[in-house]
Amino acid sequence: MRYFFLMVCLLGGPRLIAQIDVRQYASDDLFAVKPVVASDRNEEDNSGYNSWAERKLETAWTNLSNGNTDEALNDLDELIDYNDSYPVFHYLKGMVYMELEDYDQARKKFNDALSASPLFLDAKYQLGMISLELGDVREAKAYFKDLTEIKDYAALGYHGLGYEALQRNNAYGAMQDFKRSIDADPEFTDSYGTLAIIYIFTGAGRKGEKLLEEGIAANPEWEEGIAMKAILSLLLREDLDAFEADLNKLISMSPGNYHYLFLKAAVMIEKEEWHAAIEQYQKAYDLDTAQAGDFKFTSKISREEKSREAIDYYFDHYEMAQATRAYMEQGICEMIRSNNSDAIRLIKEANENEATAAGYTLLGVLGEKEMLHNVISIYSSAIELDTMNSFAISRRAELFVEQKNYEAAFLDYDRLVNLFPSEKDPWKKRGIMLSQINYPVEAYKDFSRAISLDTTDMELFFNRATLAYQMKYYEESKSDLHFLLRHTPEDGEAWYMLHSIDLYNGDTLQALSRLDSASKYLRLRVDVHKQLLNMATDLGNTSVRETAHNRLIRSRRYAYEYLLWRGIFYYEEARYQEALRDVEEYLSHVKKSGNGLYYLSKIYAALGEDKKSERSLKKAQKLGFDKE
């Protein structure tokens, strides 16, 4: 098959990845088998949790699903602060660290989960997987054998032992352990999948396919199994129809998974059904933008809004000869696959057959991707054929802005405003350009007109507030910022601007409160956290100082000096145990820190441990550090 291929591999044991042309169509984890967790074992009575905790956990899961690991860690930290006796919070944080390959921290969090609940044995399985990753096969085997002796966890334990055997290159032993896992729990589908992979690698592909069928029979909702079976139908028999039938089944099972719809488009491309392929792609993209699902759609074209808009323009203007349309739609399919040179060739052929505004619009987008020198003239050709082509006019205007040809850009934006006076975007785009070239009054008026057409676009309110602030119309700026924050209270930049206005007005306490809110929502902005720390220190606000220290640590987990900063803060506040914890943690990472050892000496002295204090001070002095 030209565009489909199978890549099945075991990565360090715990993860199976099967891909179908995912380099062009989807993200690497399309058919990833998730880390083995028996979800029904983790279900506990959450009735005691309020809606905040439930929402925060959902937010953490969404961030983790979308690859925002820093945000997920921050969310889980807040949940652990809320209730550190709930094992799931520690476990999930351990899984994040596993994803980051920070096995020391992952091990710590899995042990914390077991400390919170010794019966939370999924954490023990993950400890075994960490041991495998670090090459300690004996320790891993001990963890897994413990699980095999517990009825409800036997399948999980044998599954781990299978990976342990694979680590020792014992394929036969691994097969036996995976079979024992299936015998212990016929509905534990992970072992079917991994055993099927071994069969495939050993040349017994049909046996692997049969095993997958058994797993699907045991659990008809097993998506990964159906996906793997679909791949095998291509690998063993190049049976595109069977693959499509399984794909249709996956789409019916998981209509929110736009990966599947996008792969359906790939099937249509393979069958040279160009129009159907583009329609499937549109459905996938529409679904992606309409919901925040559990599957992250990461095709290249999905990240390029102008490509999508050009395709939309084509569908609105595809009244053309059948031969022209055939070239055009094949070219669009090549664009979807990011084969831009082939796409340009095909769409040029379509234009040679019949010049169309849609063809030039698509060529303009492709020309931008390939950095062709004549893109502006291509868009001009599209505009000549359709003077109402707002997309081409807008793109040409933005290209003029990039070239600093503001006069030409203004003429295009002015044209859009006159053509579409009741639409928001022309006013907004012209306002953005005017603000960039320092025409704040005119930009303010354009943003005001855009707001009158759409009061739900919070970016407009922020842009207008920024201009009002720059022109020192602080009350007008505050009015827009307050409106924005009533609708999007998590907008950290808006809180920061309010803080600046309060400072100008001399209201330092209100400014501190607003800066605290800005720091809360701008989680990764170290500069804002430092500014909060300095301001709280100047105002003598101990509570906010501690909050700022905590946020600094969470914003840069490997900037260990922030641990020392907080440790010094705790020491100054006579909270010696907390100071000791932070400074020792800091020194575990930065072992030859004279400053750290010096403060460790002072903490020990405050705790009455004079010998430890003397030893630490001598180590600091040996490193050439002595504040006395």
Side-chain angles (χ1 to χ4, degrees):
M1 306 297 289
R2 180 180 175 192
Y3 299 122
F4 292 99
F5 66 93
L6 172 70
M7 181 169 62
V8 185
C9 58
L10 294 171
L11 299 179
R15 187 172 300 158
L16 160 71
I17 299 179
Q19 299 173 311
I20 302 179
D21 209 4
V22 293
R23 295 172 299 181
Q24 298 176 26
Y25 296 130
S27 64
D28 291 341
D29 62 350
L30 170 58
F31 293 128
V33 174
K34 305 300 186 295
V36 179
V37 181
S39 59
D40 57 328
R41 298 180 193 135
N42 291 340
E43 290 175 2
E44 296 191 17
D45 181 11
N46 286 338
S47 59
Y49 283 92
N50 61 27
S51 58
W52 175 86
E54 293 167 357
R55 288 197 306 272
K56 181 60 67 174
L57 186 58
E58 179 66 23
T59 301
W61 183 251
T62 300
N63 280 324
L64 184 56
S65 300
N66 290 335
N68 302 324
T69 51
D70 281 336
E71 294 292 320
L73 286 170
N74 283 330
D75 293 328
L76 292 167
D77 279 338
E78 290 184 37
L79 285 164
I80 290 169
D81 289 343
Y82 173 74
N83 187 346
D84 67 356
S85 65
Y86 192 53
V88 172
F89 300 157
H90 298 286
Y91 179 84
L92 288 176
K93 191 172 179 184
M95 293 307 300
V96 178
Y97 282 124
M98 285 278 279
E99 188 71 20
L100 296 171
E101 298 184 3
D102 187 342
Y103 299 118
D104 288 340
Q105 289 295 330
R107 191 196 299 271
K108 180 178 182 301
K109 295 317 297 179
F110 292 136
N111 279 319
D112 287 345
L114 285 169
S115 295
S117 174
L119 298 179
F120 196 88
L121 295 176
D122 295 289
K124 180 170 281 194
Y125 174 84
Q126 297 300 343
L127 287 170
M129 297 310 298
I130 290 173
S131 298
L132 276 187
E133 290 284 355
L134 299 178
D136 193 338
V137 176
R138 181 176 298 180
E139 184 179 73
K141 188 172 184 177
Y143 280 123
F144 298 140
K145 281 189 70 68
D146 285 348
L147 293 174
T148 63
E149 295 171 4
I150 303 170
K151 182 179 179 182
D152 289 343
Y153 282 81
L156 191 59
Y158 283 120
H159 188 78
L161 286 173
Y163 282 129
E164 180 268 334
L166 285 176
Q167 188 86 342
R168 293 184 287 105
N169 296 316
N170 183 358
Y172 177 77
M175 286 191 286
Q176 297 307 308
D177 283 324
F178 289 126
K179 287 177 183 178
R180 292 186 186 102
S181 175
I182 293 169
D183 291 340
D185 183 358
E187 294 184 3
F188 187 73
T189 51
D190 297 80
S191 288
Y192 288 98
T194 314
L195 184 54
I197 294 295
I198 297 175
Y199 284 143
I200 293 166
F201 271 119
T202 55
R206 185 65 191 94
K207 194 172 182 180
E209 190 174 28
K210 183 178 179 182
L211 183 67
L212 289 173
E213 289 170 355
E214 291 175 8
I216 294 167
N219 180 5
E221 302 300 313
W222 181 32
E223 286 189 43
E224 288 86 355
I226 297 170
M228 291 170 65
K229 177 174 167 288
I231 294 169
L232 279 180
S233 66
L234 290 178
L235 178 69
L236 299 177
R237 295 182 299 280
E238 294 194 355
D239 191 341
L240 185 60
D241 291 333
F243 177 86
E244 186 177 3
D246 280 332
L247 188 56
N248 288 336
K249 188 183 296 183
L250 289 167
I251 291 170
S252 67
M253 290 170 58
S254 184
N257 187 335
Y258 21 84
H259 282 304
Y260 296 154
L261 292 178
F262 200 73
L263 285 169
K264 183 65 180 287
V267 171
M268 296 298 101
I269 291 175
E270 184 70 11
K271 296 170 78 171
E272 299 186 357
E273 297 177 12
W274 315 119
H275 189 80
I278 300 169
E279 286 184 329
Q280 281 295 326
Y281 159 74
Q282 283 196 310
K283 289 179 183 178
Y285 189 89
D286 288 343
L287 186 59
D288 175 30
T289 55
Q291 65 178 30
D294 293 330
F295 306 90
K296 190 172 183 178
F297 185 64
T298 55
S299 75
K300 295 175 183 177
I301 201 168
S302 76
R303 298 191 294 269
E304 299 171 3
E305 186 62 28
K306 57 180 178 284
S307 300
R308 166 67 175 170
E309 290 183 34
I311 295 173
D312 283 344
Y313 181 84
Y314 165 76
F315 267 95
D316 289 337
H317 302 82
Y318 70 91
E319 294 82 4
M320 58 190 71
Q322 185 62 40
T324 306
R325 190 183 302 166
Y327 281 120
M328 194 85 75
E329 292 183 345
Q330 188 176 354
I332 292 172
C333 287
E334 293 300 328
M335 185 168 75
I336 289 172
R337 297 178 59 246
S338 296
N339 290 337
N340 294 332
S341 59
D342 286 341
I344 290 171
R345 175 181 56 80
L346 288 161
I347 295 173
K348 278 184 176 179
E349 289 184 26
N351 264 5
E352 289 170 4
N353 190 66
E354 178 185 358
T356 64
Y360 281 115
T361 300
L362 288 162
L363 282 174
V365 170
L366 288 163
E368 288 191 65
K369 290 183 179 183
E370 297 298 299
M371 294 183 288
L372 302 182
H373 68 279
N374 62 334
V375 177
I376 288 178
S377 66
I378 294 173
Y379 280 130
S380 296
S381 297
I383 295 165
E384 287 176 12
L385 291 168
D386 178 8
T387 58
M388 302 287 285
N389 188 338
S390 61
F391 174 78
I393 299 170
S394 179
R395 288 303 311 146
R396 187 173 71 175
E398 291 181 35
L399 290 171
F400 281 137
V401 170
E402 289 177 10
Q403 295 179 356
K404 300 188 186 306
N405 188 349
Y406 299 116
E407 183 177 354
F410 182 83
L411 289 173
D412 271 344
Y413 284 132
D414 200 48
R415 183 176 184 174
L416 286 170
V417 164
N418 290 322
L419 285 172
F420 308 102
S422 61
E423 293 185 10
K424 169 194 69 175
D425 283 346
W427 299 97
K428 180 179 180 178
K429 289 179 179 179
R430 190 173 73 174
I432 291 172
M433 187 201 73
L434 288 169
S435 64
Q436 289 174 345
I437 60 176
N438 200 28
Y439 283 83
V441 175
E442 291 79 2
Y444 189 94
K445 290 178 180 178
D446 276 355
F447 288 141
S448 296
R449 182 62 181 270
I451 286 170
S452 72
L453 296 169
D454 183 1
T455 58
T456 66
D457 187 340
M458 293 300 111
E459 185 181 5
L460 283 169
F461 285 94
F462 184 82
N463 289 346
R464 190 170 72 172
T466 301
L467 287 170
Y469 178 82
Q470 290 172 353
M471 294 186 290
K472 299 186 178 180
Y473 296 141
Y474 296 125
E475 290 306 313
E476 288 79 1
S477 181
K478 284 176 66 175
S479 176
D480 277 345
L481 292 170
H482 284 307
F483 181 87
L484 186 158
L485 289 168
R486 282 199 297 273
H487 293 83
T488 55
E490 70 283 357
D491 191 323
E493 296 290 352
W495 285 112
Y496 188 85
M497 198 183 305
L498 276 176
H499 141 80
S500 299
I501 294 171
D502 289 330
L503 275 184
Y504 178 84
N505 291 330
D507 191 345
T508 53
L509 291 179
Q510 184 74 283
L512 179 66
S513 175
R514 262 92 184 247
L515 184 58
D516 184 20
S517 295
S519 169
K520 177 181 178 181
Y521 295 115
L522 299 173
R523 292 179 173 180
L524 303 181
R525 286 282 300 276
V526 171
D527 59 323
V528 176
H529 303 325
K530 287 182 177 179
Q531 194 173 343
L532 179 65
L533 177 60
N534 292 334
M535 191 173 185
T537 301
D538 291 342
L539 295 175
N541 191 316
T542 303
S543 175
V544 176
R545 281 180 68 194
E546 182 174 9
T547 297
H549 279 298
N550 292 340
R551 289 175 183 161
L552 274 170
I553 289 169
R554 290 174 180 174
S555 67
R556 293 290 185 274
R557 294 178 181 277
Y558 301 105
Y560 300 115
E561 68 269 20
Y562 299 145
L563 274 169
L564 179 60
W565 290 11
R566 189 173 66 179
I568 294 170
F569 162 74
Y570 284 141
Y571 169 76
E572 291 170 349
E573 294 297 314
R575 294 163 62 177
Y576 301 124
Q577 289 297 335
E578 291 163 289
L580 181 63
R581 177 201 65 198
D582 279 354
V583 174
E584 285 185 335
E585 176 70 13
Y586 166 75
L587 288 169
S588 72
H589 298 286
V590 187
K591 300 185 185 303
K592 294 184 178 181
S593 168
N595 197 21
L597 288 164
Y598 171 77
Y599 275 100
L600 183 64
S601 169
K602 292 175 74 69
I603 294 166
Y604 279 139
L607 291 170
E609 299 188 41
D610 295 335
K611 289 185 178 180
K612 288 184 177 180
S613 175
E614 290 175 9
R615 283 199 299 269
S616 297
L617 183 58
K618 286 180 181 179
K619 289 179 181 179
Q621 291 169 339
K622 189 175 180 180
L623 291 169
F625 187 92
D626 189 354
K627 280 194 174 183
E628 299 298 326

